[in-house]
Amino acid sequence: MTFSHPVLVRWSDIDSYDHVNNVRYFDYLQEARIAFLANVFGVGADEFFGRSPVVLVSQTVDYLRPILLRHPPYAVDVWVSAVGTSSYTLQSRIVDHAEGLVYCKATSVLVTVTADTHAKRPLDEAERAALGKHVSVA
């Protein structure tokens, strides 16, 4: 199941080429990832990290076209593509659904950790079940 999160481009996101600086794509992806995980685990975004702490260990982004400053929000679609023992992989893409355009594709790997020491830990059954409901090949 794909989750869609709207993101508005801010004036400060624009670089000298009049499009969104590539570093800002990571901000948009992070914002959507946090909203997605809060939704998956049924908690507020700030509460999520206290309850199910994770560390982003890898993220790759394929830039497909420039994002421009405009008022209608772009959408960041997020879904789970794999669930491991202590990690899971999210796929994301920044899109314009109305135009059918994809601006970037991203893969993010997150590892679950303990709240106190941040040592790697296995996913518990509730986390595995919640993530499993959002596995997709979208």
Side-chain angles (χ1 to χ4, degrees), residues 20-35:
V20 171
N21 184 284
N22 61 340
V23 173
R24 294 294 179 215
Y25 285 57
F26 286 86
D27 293 335
Y28 300 159
L29 295 166
Q30 174 180 264
E31 182 181 318
R33 182 173 61 246
I34 291 169

Side-chain angles (χ1 to χ4, degrees), residues 78-128:
V78 185
W79 64 96
V80 178
S81 62
V83 179
T85 303
S86 61
S87 67
Y88 49 94
T89 304
L90 302 180
Q91 300 296 324
S92 306
R93 61 182 172 223
I94 300 175
V95 299
D96 180 332
H97 288 295
E99 296 293 324
L101 298 175
V102 178
Y103 293 83
C104 81
K105 295 179 181 180
T107 302
S108 306
V109 178
L110 296 102
V111 171
T112 53
V113 297
T114 62
D116 53 349
T117 66
H118 292 149
K120 185 168 105 172
R121 65 167 178 84
L123 287 157
D124 64 33
E125 287 307 312
E127 291 168 324
R128 188 174 301 289

